[in-house]
Amino acid sequence: MNTLLKTTALFAAFSSTGFAAPEIVLADFEKSTYEPWTVTGEAFGPGPAQGALPGQMGVDGFRGKGLVNTFFNGDDTIGTLTSPEFRIDRKFIGFLIGGGKNEQGLALQLLVDGKVVRSATGNNDRPGGSEELQQESWDVSDLAGKKAVLKIVDDAKGGWGHLTVDQIVQTDTKPKGVVSGVERSFTATTRYLNIPIKNGAPHRVVTLLVDGKVIVRNDIELADGPADWWAPMDVSAWKGKKLTLRVDKLHEDSKALAAVDPGNEIKNADNLYEEPLRGQFHFSPMRGWNNDPNGMVFYNGEYHLFFQHNPYGWAWGNMTWGHAVSKDMVHWEELPSALLPDEMGPMFSGGAVVDWKNTSGFGKDGKPPMVVFYTAAGNPTVQCMAYSNDGRHFTKYEGNPIIKEISGGNRDPKVVWHEPTKSWVLVFYVELGGVHTMHFFTSPNLKEWTFASKIDGFFECPEFFEAPVDGDATKKKWVLSGASSDYRIGSFDGKTFTPETSMLPGQRGKDFYAAQAFSDQPDGRHILIGWWRTETRGMPFNQSMSIPLDLRLVQTAEGPRLTYTPVKELEALRAKSHRIAPQSLKPGDKNPLDDIRAELVEVRAEFEPGEADEVIFNIRDVMVVYDAKKQEFSVNGHRAPAPLIDGKQRITIFCDRTGVEAFASDGLCFIPMPINLKGENRRLYLETRGGAAKIASLEVHELRSAWKTK
Ligand code: FRU
């Protein structure tokens, strides 16, 4: 390069920064006091804060260790903090600011001759929000050479009555900041828009518009840079239309919107369903978070499983009804979301029915509609419904809500048909003056609902059904349970549930919650699926569902009780079966399961404990133990009563990558237990302690993945 060219290039490089004079730091709040600034009031505390103060959400986005945080002693404290006088010597004053949005009460002000010439406030004016400080700046070129002071004012009380400020500088280069209402448009030609997600990044409000009309808003931890994972936004319903993603605010240099990638596949999902912590025969959504099963119903030859889904986050949020279908409850296909959050609120839990007699009038071409019930969890929180004529497309009822708010947080409608009174019954959770209750409403047509009765003592997610005792159709009982699965058995006259038992324990394990049974099950079984709280850190999805459980009432010496057993459809997963010869197994004997290595496994055993104190299964390091002395069953030390039945114990164990579901006493004892199992250990053991047990039958089935056997 010759000298002249080189000089020109150098000059160009300098002029692009305009020979910027160095930045002047007016305050970085890194010392233990505010000196030489002056303080009035209490809100500022004795000196700069070091992040969040007691009772405050996590504060981030500040520079160094200290910042101004007027949450000292909470939102209700007030005060001011004023700088010494300084001369305006640069084009911009840049600063970081966060906290409450309140132009009058919460401000960073620039004063010249005692008059406020610039002012900035925080950005939160409703519950929730974020304590992240944002970069902002003022152009002060018109004030060059003037003497000025900065004043931070907190004159606000109550929610978001505080401000955070840091790193105030004079600079000739406009600091890069946060811009609002950033958009990017696409023509919908692919199935998905892949959205980049960074777990823990600030939540951005992302709005999807189709041809300019708002479809849905979600709170998303958008990745400004490299993504942890990609969340597919299914846009297949809008082929050929103009899609716009609008983000409430983004750093100027954020790559998030530019990175959104249209495609027919989920980005970075080559190992979809084969991820190390993907339950191989437990339903989980392709991406994002799930909690409760919803709208479980058999309709048009398919099982429908809807679920509480955050399609765009690893943690709970953006409650959307995800949707999956199956012919056998074992092999599931995930479909596009069925219900998106709307102006009435996020879509909370509820049930579904087939309206065989078309009482609602939603049926079409002589075919009964599927009707789903959900809670719109806005303010007010109300019960709503939607219907479908094809099991794929869902229309929210124009007359929603069907039940107005009774008290804040009322939720989780479950609907059943009551044949003797020929009416629909809706049970949902209502908290009344601190008491947890279930309310019963009835309706002839699913549209108009009348209060019928209430019962105390049940919390969230009711399940309510009638079942025969010991399969005897002349001895039917009603069962009511809440989200924990504890239940009472009784009678029901179409309006009032009259319990005949106290509260009885349902499942005996951990992290099994909000279970629901399929409505309209063709063979009359009551098949339950629970939310199985399998935490899968590091995966682009989180949580799952339990295996389907056949729920029955059996007569015991104490009265009728529920039993849980794995549905027979799960036999379709058996890839290789080992039947081990009946034997008397004494302590020190060779491990009868020594030859088997299996990752996914079903174990079934029938034995008489005989002299044994304990019969111990070790399934890939999970200890499943029958304590014959105490007649207790346990998984990794988590114990529950498990009586012998006719002197025998029958045990079933299902083991997936994310844990174990173990059953004893023909299903009277069910212990679900999420545990992330180590991939490499495939060994199984069976041994006895204290004496010999008579093993009457022992089967081990190596299972295949449900995701691959479609
Ligand atoms: C139970 C629950 C329900 C609610 C839903 C919200 O897990 O709290 O009561 O409808 O989750 O996701």
Side-chain angles (χ1 to χ4, degrees):
M1 192 187 275
N2 71 41
T3 326
L4 181 70
L5 268 179
K6 201 170 171 185
T7 319
T8 325
L10 264 175
F11 179 75
F14 272 114
S15 64
S16 73
T17 58
F19 288 110
E23 188 176 273
I24 303 166
V25 178
L26 291 170
D28 60 9
F29 304 107
E30 292 300 302
K31 292 199 304 247
S32 59
T33 70
Y34 288 116
E35 290 255 284
W37 292 46
T38 50
V39 187
T40 68
E42 195 192 350
F44 291 81
Q50 307 276 303
L53 292 167
Q56 193 175 24
M57 289 193 283
V59 176
D60 52 26
F62 56 100
R63 188 82 62 81
K65 296 208 166 84
L67 78 158
V68 175
N69 182 348
T70 75
F71 193 71
F72 189 78
N73 280 344
D75 270 324
D76 286 352
T77 50
I78 58 172
T80 64
L81 179 65
T82 309
S83 76
E85 196 171 68
F86 64 97
R87 206 176 75 158
I88 298 185
D89 270 338
R90 298 285 185 274
K91 287 187 195 153
F92 298 95
I93 293 180
F95 49 88
L96 299 168
I97 191 162
K101 177 174 179 170
N102 178 340
E103 274 83 11
Q104 273 73 47
L106 296 169
L108 168 65
Q109 301 170 334
L110 179 72
L111 291 95
V112 173
D113 297 331
K115 285 206 198 86
V116 178
V117 292
R118 298 286 186 282
S119 182
T121 186
N123 42 32
N124 295 281
D125 56 3
R126 64 188 70 172
S130 157
E131 287 278 14
E132 194 199 13
L133 283 75
Q134 309 282 354
Q135 177 71 62
E136 290 191 24
S137 60
W138 298 312
D139 183 337
V140 289
S141 40
D142 60 319
L143 301 171
K146 301 241 186 232
K147 294 260 165 42
V149 293
L150 287 160
K151 188 171 176 186
I152 303 175
V153 179
D154 178 350
D155 194 22
K157 299 187 174 185
W160 282 116
H162 64 276
L163 198 67
T164 51
V165 176
D166 197 18
Q167 199 67 20
I168 310 178
V169 299
Q170 295 208 60
T171 168
D172 276 339
T173 320
K174 186 177 190 298
K176 285 208 169 155
V178 164
V179 280
S180 321
V182 198
E183 293 189 349
R184 183 173 164 202
S185 292
F186 308 79
T187 303
T189 53
T190 57
R191 176 165 181 197
Y192 299 125
L193 295 181
N194 282 294
I195 315 270
I197 310 292
K198 176 119 195 117
N199 298 325
H203 287 250
R204 308 295 184 196
V205 181
V206 181
T207 307
L208 170 69
L209 300 99
V210 175
D211 287 342
K213 192 173 154 257
V214 171
I215 301 292
V216 67
R217 279 192 185 83
N218 286 288
D219 258 2
I220 305 184
E221 293 171 341
L222 279 182
D224 292 322
D228 287 338
W229 54 279
W230 296 80
M233 179 176 276
D234 195 316
V235 292
S236 52
W238 299 290
K239 277 266 151 68
K241 303 210 167 158
K242 184 184 169 203
L243 308 175
T244 304
L245 288 180
R246 178 188 296 156
V247 184
D248 63 338
K249 51 188 182 185
L250 272 184
H251 283 285
E252 271 173 84
D253 50 7
S254 167
K255 305 275 183 297
L257 264 186
V260 171
D261 195 2
N264 288 317
E265 307 288 335
I266 301 175
K267 203 173 159 88
N268 285 3
D270 293 349
N271 64 346
L272 182 65
Y273 295 126
E274 290 170 1
E275 300 93 339
L277 289 180
R278 173 77 73 178
Q280 294 293 292
F281 54 90
H282 288 87
F283 176 80
S284 56
M286 294 187 281
R287 290 293 182 258
W289 157 279
N290 81 269
N291 52 293
D292 316 348
N294 293 154
M296 290 173 57
V297 65
F298 185 80
Y299 179 68
N300 277 353
E302 288 174 324
Y303 290 94
H304 290 259
L305 172 65
F306 303 85
F307 50 93
Q308 291 285 285
H309 192 201
N310 183 356
Y312 309 109
W314 191 82
W316 186 89
N318 299 317
M319 280 298 126
T320 300
W321 273 37
H323 188 196
V325 288
S326 171
K327 295 264 184 231
D328 62 0
M329 300 176 278
V330 178
H331 303 88
W332 291 99
E333 181 192 353
E334 188 173 342
L335 299 176
S337 306
L339 302 175
L340 305 182
D342 61 28
E343 59 289 345
M344 293 173 85
M347 303 285 105
F348 276 18
S349 290
V353 294
V354 181
D355 181 9
W356 291 104
K357 301 191 172 103
N358 195 23
T359 61
S360 60
F362 296 145
K364 224 168 88 184
D365 306 329
K367 299 212 184 86
M370 179 207 299
V371 187
V372 306
F373 301 85
Y374 62 94
T375 300
N379 190 8
T381 290
V382 292
Q383 314 315 314
C384 294
M385 68 178 165
Y387 60 91
S388 176
N389 300 108
D390 61 359
R392 293 295 182 273
H393 302 91
F394 295 83
T395 308
K396 288 174 182 164
Y397 172 48
E398 63 202 7
N400 279 335
I402 51 170
I403 301 180
K404 292 195 194 133
E405 179 174 293
I406 296 179
S407 72
N410 51 186
R411 60 183 180 271
D412 308 337
K414 169 81 193 185
V415 174
V416 294
W417 174 252
H418 187 249
E419 183 59 26
T421 54
K422 302 254 181 300
S423 79
W424 296 105
V425 178
L426 183 153
V427 196
F428 74 121
Y429 166 69
V430 181
E431 184 185 318
L432 284 183
V435 178
H436 297 160
T437 79
M438 292 297 174
H439 275 46
F440 290 80
F441 277 64
T442 58
S443 171
N445 57 10
L446 298 173
K447 292 176 171 165
E448 282 108 42
W449 292 93
T450 312
F451 173 78
S453 68
K454 67 180 171 70
I455 182 167
D456 294 352
F458 294 85
F459 181 60
E460 298 189 328
C461 302
E463 179 52 51
F464 187 52
F465 62 90
E466 191 186 28
V469 180
D470 289 335
D472 180 347
T474 64
K475 281 199 228 140
K476 285 188 157 184
K477 296 281 176 201
W478 284 84
V479 180
L480 177 65
S481 61
S484 69
S485 85
D486 291 352
Y487 64 101
R488 298 181 80 174
I489 300 172
S491 63
F492 183 63
D493 62 5
K495 286 190 180 317
T496 306
F497 173 67
T498 309
E500 293 162 6
T501 67
S502 57
M503 191 68 84
L504 301 167
Q507 59 85 22
R508 298 289 197 144
K510 250 179 84 214
D511 295 329
F512 175 100
Y513 198 70
Q516 197 177 100
F518 285 106
S519 182
D520 301 282
Q521 172 69 30
D523 54 19
R525 285 179 295 170
H526 296 281
I527 295 174
L528 193 80
I529 291 180
W531 166 28
W532 206 27
R533 296 198 275 217
T534 51
E535 188 181 280
T536 49
R537 222 161 261 284
M539 298 291 113
F541 54 88
N542 187 14
Q543 315 287 312
S544 64
M545 298 297 172
S546 74
I547 53 173
L549 301 159
D550 189 340
L551 215 59
R552 293 176 192 223
L553 283 174
V554 299
Q555 191 63 42
T556 71
E558 287 84 43
R561 292 292 182 266
L562 276 181
T563 61
Y564 298 79
T565 51
V567 292
K568 62 177 187 310
E569 283 81 348
L570 288 161
E571 288 173 14
L573 294 170
R574 293 178 184 171
K576 186 172 177 197
S577 297
H578 307 263
R579 291 195 169 74
I580 291 112
Q583 58 193 276
S584 168
L585 187 69
K586 61 180 190 313
D589 279 354
K590 178 174 177 288
N591 167 25
L593 309 179
D594 203 28
D595 299 337
I596 307 172
R597 297 287 179 278
E599 183 191 24
L600 313 174
V601 62
E602 172 190 350
V603 178
R604 285 180 184 264
E606 179 180 317
F607 56 85
E608 286 169 33
E611 304 303 314
D613 294 336
E614 286 180 321
V615 177
I616 302 173
F617 297 83
N618 176 327
I619 309 296
R620 305 185 55 206
D621 272 347
V622 179
M623 303 299 287
V624 181
V625 178
Y626 186 65
D627 180 330
K629 280 200 171 141
K630 295 191 175 139
Q631 298 211 13
E632 277 179 2
F633 188 47
S634 67
V635 177
N636 278 357
H638 193 104
R639 303 175 82 96
L644 295 177
I645 295 177
D646 301 330
K648 294 201 171 77
Q649 185 51 272
R650 274 177 290 269
I651 279 170
T652 305
I653 305 164
F654 275 81
C655 173
D656 199 344
R657 292 182 182 170
T658 47
V660 158
E661 283 141 304
F663 306 80
S665 307
D666 295 339
L668 279 171
C669 178
F670 164 43
I671 306 187
M673 189 66 57
I675 306 160
N676 290 334
L677 292 175
K678 292 194 192 68
E680 60 279 14
N681 181 357
R682 308 274 162 109
R683 298 192 68 116
L684 316 175
Y685 300 86
L686 171 61
E687 61 172 311
T688 56
R689 297 229 173 114
K694 198 171 143 214
I695 312 290
S697 85
L698 180 57
E699 291 172 17
V700 176
H701 305 281
E702 297 177 35
L703 304 180
R704 58 173 78 91
S705 167
W707 301 117
K708 290 183 199 145
T709 52
K710 276 182 202 154

